[in-house]
Amino acid sequence: MLHGVYINNIAGFLPGNPIDNQQMEDYLGKIGDRPSKVKHRILKSNGIQQRYYALDRQQNTTYQNSQMAALAVRDLMAKAALEPEAIDLLCAATSWPDLLIPGFASMVHGNLPELSPLEIVSTQGVCCAGVAALKYAASQVALGSKRGAIAVASELASRLFKHTQFTDQSAVQTGKSLPFDTEFLRWMLSDGAGACWLQNHPNPRGLSLKLEWIELISHANAYPVCMYAGARDATAQKSWLDYPTYGTAAAAGAINLRQNIRLLEDVVKLGVEGWLKLIETGRVQPDEIDWLLCHYSSDFFRSQIVTLLEKAGCLIPESKWFTNLYTKGNTGCAAIYLMLEELFHSGKLQPGQTIFCFVPESGRFTTAYLMLRVVAGHPPHCLPPGLQETDSPAVVLPLETPESVPARLWRQLTLVWLEFERQLRSVPLVRKLHRGGIHP
């Protein structure tokens, strides 16, 4: 029998002190001893005012990625007063682990000697990797296979962008600027970690977040890679391992983290399309959402999301949006954890409120959605009448409420158009055009 799943505490770890926009090149360094020509334009667009780096001013790493994840877990254990034997499962997510082998979760567990032997799972990707870790942990608790599970997500992007990483690349050696697909990310990403504690019952005191459902959807079958590392270009046909030596791969820029910014608008459209489908099936009722946590990487994309939802007639008022992008930076797969952590401990949540989370991933077009409900604490053996620990985490679909014909029509027309654009890209001829054109 399935159990309900509750997030009973959330913790985070941010390395060092906040770094403002004027200090960024003091930590990352100047490529070719020249200040960036595009930094100010990118920062103006993304709106980020400060972030955190696990680097010092000499570009030395101050924390390993697995160490940051372990520190978030340790903070979680302190906040939730957890004994090591209460933890049955550790799920750890990142985009770029410290080591190629072993898995990231192994390294995190190795940094936590106080834990017992337990099951571990590593999830790797880009922004949705953290949601994948949370979903695996939740499914094991729901099945009754595990009593308590920790999901942790951590990112250490800064060391990918320190100036010494680019010194031997041919473009830099000839006095040229860094390719924009790499330079862009240099001013977008930062470091941090977050961790969630999951059980099959709510806290005896205080608040918990009941996990109603999680959706993860990949569109990689129809779209090329957008954010990638390990290849020189977005065709991804030549891996960094296919070069004669690691050095030649690095000199060719094949290890750079890159993003094809021309595809980012499609990432937003796909995310909103999935959102509208959830509304159509009744799983999301915009009027009943109290908090929207949307992981957009830049303030620029927030305006695009707002525009699409306005056209569809189902915009959630921006007064209900919660983000810490501007003060904590874009921490990739850890971002949704750090948003939830700040909101959970803010004192703003009230029992009965709903939290809808939206996480688009540009890696190769994946989107994730989460629905959470705030519940008041009560002892595990003193649950409200009619609710038992073994109850299924049922998703109660709201009764359909009267809706004006124009509102529904606008939403359905927007959904039809977004679906048409996506399906059009799946046509072989159109896909070839998008991936570099047709050559005689």
Side-chain angles (χ1 to χ4, degrees):
M1 183 175 290
L2 295 178
H3 298 258
V5 180
Y6 300 84
I7 298 175
N8 281 341
N9 220 311
I10 314 175
F13 176 78
L14 295 166
N17 297 315
I19 296 166
D20 64 30
N21 292 349
Q22 287 69 43
Q23 297 173 301
M24 293 179 76
E25 281 184 307
D26 294 339
Y27 287 83
L28 299 180
K30 296 178 181 178
I31 298 175
D33 291 324
R34 299 184 302 272
S36 170
K37 295 180 180 179
V38 299
K39 169 189 167 185
H40 296 295
R41 176 159 58 94
I42 295 170
L43 289 171
K44 182 179 180 180
S45 177
N46 67 34
I48 300 171
Q49 299 301 311
Q50 63 180 38
R51 75 285 296 147
Y52 294 79
Y53 289 150
L55 293 178
D56 61 22
R57 290 176 183 265
Q58 288 73 46
Q59 288 86 57
N60 298 310
T61 302
T62 55
Y63 297 93
Q64 294 295 313
N65 198 3
S66 57
Q67 289 174 333
M68 291 199 301
L71 287 166
V73 170
R74 201 164 278 135
D75 185 41
L76 179 68
M77 293 175 67
K79 285 180 175 175
L82 295 179
E83 295 296 331
E85 57 272 16
I87 305 165
D88 297 327
L89 171 65
L90 174 67
C91 300
T94 192
S95 299
W96 198 305
D98 304 302
L99 305 181
L100 297 176
I101 295 174
F104 186 58
S106 291
M107 299 308 295
V108 177
H109 191 202
N111 278 284
L112 293 163
E114 63 268 38
L115 293 189
S116 306
L118 44 66
E119 181 180 348
I120 59 171
V121 169
S122 302
T123 60
Q124 184 268 338
V126 193
C127 299
C128 287
V131 180
L134 185 66
K135 184 167 186 176
Y136 184 88
S139 67
Q140 292 300 299
V141 172
L143 287 169
S145 174
K146 305 298 178 186
R147 297 168 301 155
I150 289 178
V152 59
S154 183
E155 298 283 28
L156 205 173
S158 61
R159 62 185 172 187
L160 305 176
F161 300 122
K162 55 188 180 183
H163 73 288
T164 51
Q165 299 284 21
F166 309 103
T167 302
D168 295 332
Q169 294 185 22
S170 55
V172 175
Q173 289 193 336
T174 56
K176 297 178 182 177
S177 299
L178 203 62
F180 187 77
D181 58 3
T182 296
E183 176 84 354
F184 173 74
L185 291 174
R186 202 166 185 245
W187 313 114
M188 294 288 288
L189 302 177
S190 54
D191 308 338
C196 294
W197 169 236
L198 289 80
Q199 292 178 285
N200 63 6
H201 57 78
N203 281 315
R205 290 175 297 279
L207 298 178
S208 298
L209 303 180
K210 186 175 189 297
L211 185 55
E212 301 284 1
W213 50 260
I214 298 178
E215 289 281 358
L216 269 166
I217 306 163
S218 167
H219 296 278
N221 62 308
Y223 287 85
V225 292
C226 176
M227 185 175 179
Y228 59 98
R232 190 175 181 179
D233 58 61
T235 63
Q237 294 304 301
K238 185 176 182 179
S239 164
W240 66 284
L241 292 170
D242 296 323
Y243 287 80
T245 67
Y246 300 148
T248 55
I255 303 178
N256 291 353
L257 183 61
R258 302 171 181 265
Q259 188 164 58
N260 184 345
I261 63 169
R262 293 180 295 278
L263 294 176
L264 291 178
E265 185 176 341
D266 293 321
V267 177
V268 172
K269 287 180 179 178
L270 276 175
V272 173
E273 178 189 333
W275 188 334
L276 296 180
K277 286 182 177 178
L278 290 170
I279 294 173
E280 284 292 293
T281 58
R283 300 187 78 184
V284 173
Q285 294 286 341
D287 293 342
E288 297 180 4
I289 300 300
D290 297 292
W291 297 97
L292 170 64
L293 276 59
C294 183
H295 170 56
Y296 47 88
S297 61
S298 170
D299 189 68
F300 174 78
F301 299 118
R302 175 179 177 134
S303 62
Q304 288 191 332
I305 294 169
V306 168
T307 298
L308 285 170
L309 292 175
E310 281 182 332
K311 287 180 179 179
C314 54
L315 177 66
I316 296 173
E318 290 191 72
S319 60
K320 296 183 177 182
W321 292 41
F322 182 90
T323 184
N324 52 20
L325 171 71
Y326 311 107
T327 57
K328 293 186 176 176
N330 177 5
T331 51
C333 73
I336 195 65
Y337 285 66
L338 289 169
M339 277 191 274
L340 283 168
E341 185 267 341
E342 187 170 322
L343 181 60
F344 186 78
H345 296 290
S346 68
K348 298 178 180 178
L349 295 179
Q350 299 295 326
Q353 290 183 333
T354 55
I355 303 171
F356 178 54
C357 304
F358 169 40
V359 183
E361 174 183 302
S362 62
R364 194 158 183 174
F365 295 88
T366 302
T367 52
Y369 310 90
L370 299 84
M371 185 67 78
L372 304 163
R373 188 173 301 278
V374 184
V375 298
H378 40 73
H381 300 292
C382 300
L383 300 179
L387 179 63
Q388 300 299 321
E389 286 186 47
T390 55
D391 277 354
S392 169
V395 178
V396 181
L397 298 181
L399 294 174
E400 193 153 332
T401 55
E403 184 178 22
S404 67
V405 173
R408 172 167 289 187
L409 181 61
W410 276 116
R411 185 175 72 240
Q412 292 175 341
L413 286 173
T414 303
L415 184 56
V416 167
W417 177 252
L418 291 172
E419 287 180 322
F420 169 73
E421 280 193 329
R422 173 173 52 80
Q423 291 171 4
L424 185 64
R425 290 194 62 125
S426 298
V427 176
L429 180 63
V430 177
R431 190 163 58 219
K432 283 185 178 181
L433 286 170
H434 278 285
R435 294 185 180 184
I438 300 175
H439 304 286

